[in-house]
Every structure is written in structure tokens, then in C-alpha cells.
Amino acid sequence: MGIFIFVFAGLMLIILAMSVGVIMGGKPIAGSCGGMANLGMDTACDICAGDKSICEDEDEKNRRIAELAKSTDLAYEVKSKS
């Protein structure tokens, strides 16, 4: 039972470290629509079905969202009712 708890705690630490890395990285998690072509696999993905313009439009949209997120101040001030 002790080994199980030790392994479980270790896995939770690894998952926590990866989560912190994603949060601190500031870049949203994103898939790669053109990833299969980069590997030499000329198959259509489920997102674009082989239409490269959909992938390009999606990449452009993601770039605009990332730029907006960097330039937007998301902080706000909490004021009490007193």
C-alpha cells in the first residue's frame, strides 16, 4: 500500500509541474493541423479534411487571439460596498 501512495504522489507532482509549466508559459495549448504533413504523412486531418486554407485561417485566428491576449489588460479592481 505504501508503494501505491508513493507512486500516486509522484505522478501528481509530475502533473502539477506540467500544469504550472503550461500556465506560466502563457501560450495556449493548440493542436497542429499540418503536423501529419510535416511527418511525411499525406493524410487529411479531422479538422481541415485536407483543405489547407482552413488550416491557414485557423492559424491566423490563433495568432490574432494570442496578440490580443498579450495586449489586453485582464485585471480589474474589486471594491467593497462600504
Side-chain angles (χ1 to χ4, degrees), residues 12-73:
M12 290 298 109
L13 280 171
I14 291 171
I15 292 171
L16 178 67
M18 291 189 311
S19 300
V20 169
V22 169
I23 292 169
M24 298 303 281
K27 183 178 177 185
I29 298 173
S32 172
C33 192
M36 291 180 288
N38 292 335
L39 294 173
M41 300 168 58
D42 292 331
T43 59
C45 70
D46 294 335
I47 298 170
C48 66
D51 187 0
K52 298 292 184 189
S53 65
I54 295 174
C55 289
E56 292 167 2
D57 292 343
E58 194 67 28
D59 287 342
E60 180 61 30
K61 184 174 76 171
N62 288 337
R63 272 193 291 277
R64 280 189 263 132
I65 290 171
E67 289 173 8
L68 180 63
K70 287 180 183 177
S71 66
T72 304
D73 184 17

